[in-house]
Amino acid sequence: MADQPARPVAVLIGPPGAGKTTVGCALAQVLGVDFVDTDALVETTSGRVISDIFVEDGEPAFRELELEATRSALGTPGVVALGGGAPMQPAIAELLADHKVVFLDVTIAHAAKRIGFDGSRPLLAVNPRAAWTKMMGERRPTYERLGTVRVDTGDRTPEEIVDDVRAGLTGLTGADQR
């Protein structure tokens, strides 16, 4: 029998400010596995920050780098956090089909407290609150469709969120598991 390819124990998706990186690091530590953040992977492999990629090369170039980072990350046996827009790419959504995907949900009030809507997030650079609300309205159906587990992160500690993620992943059985 051939060895199974490495797979993440969980893939975290959600909007900016949902806590994907913070929760992903905490979850990986609790589970004793590695953590991979695809945005950080893009920055490491390209040698540039995401906002510079957007400005210098445009969003399509960034999305291609994001797709390659996602393909790479999904081959690791840890916890993976995707950038907020990654699941909107049909190719990435297709890659997630057989994974345990956790949708970290958050309201704009809680997201704003966490990320402050600074200039490092290119898609939120102009009128960040309106842009976040519009973006979330467009992305929510995809997050909900892809998520096998949904966890609200608003006004909660990373430890509380990790507990809910673990309970949700443990509760996946039979037809619920991907």
Side-chain angles (χ1 to χ4, degrees):
M1 184 168 154
D3 287 335
Q4 290 285 97
R7 297 175 56 80
V9 294
V11 179
L12 308 180
I13 64 172
K20 297 179 298 289
T21 300
T22 301
V23 171
C25 286
L27 179 62
Q29 185 173 9
V30 166
L31 298 176
V33 297
D34 290 334
F35 172 69
V36 179
D37 181 310
T38 59
D39 281 349
L41 192 55
V42 166
E43 290 183 343
T44 299
T45 58
S46 71
R48 298 183 292 165
V49 297
I50 291 171
S51 57
D52 287 350
I53 297 169
F54 264 77
V55 169
E56 295 166 10
D57 301 336
E59 184 175 355
F62 167 73
R63 296 298 175 196
E64 187 57 38
L65 293 170
E66 181 178 57
L67 174 59
E68 292 309 312
T70 301
R71 281 188 180 122
S72 173
L74 293 178
T76 63
V79 174
V80 174
L82 299 186
M88 305 312 294
Q89 289 193 57
I92 291 177
E94 188 175 315
L95 290 172
L96 296 177
D98 293 329
H99 290 276
K100 294 176 182 175
V101 178
V102 179
F103 167 29
L104 297 180
D105 201 356
V106 68
T107 65
I108 188 170
H110 291 108
K113 289 178 192 174
R114 293 180 181 152
I115 62 175
F117 295 129
D118 62 23
S120 68
R121 298 174 186 270
L123 295 180
L124 301 177
V126 178
N127 195 349
R129 289 181 183 278
W132 190 96
T133 301
K134 180 178 185 289
M135 178 177 51
M136 190 56 177
E138 293 167 352
R139 292 179 179 179
R140 177 173 291 284
T142 300
Y143 293 151
E144 289 177 346
R145 177 176 53 83
L146 296 175
T148 48
V149 175
R150 181 193 160 277
V151 176
D152 182 5
T153 67
D155 209 20
R156 303 177 69 215
T157 68
E159 295 77 20
E160 291 170 327
I161 298 164
V162 165
D163 287 346
D164 281 0
V165 169
R166 290 181 69 198
L169 292 172
T170 302
L172 292 177
T173 59
D176 293 335
Q177 279 201 3
R178 294 190 200 180

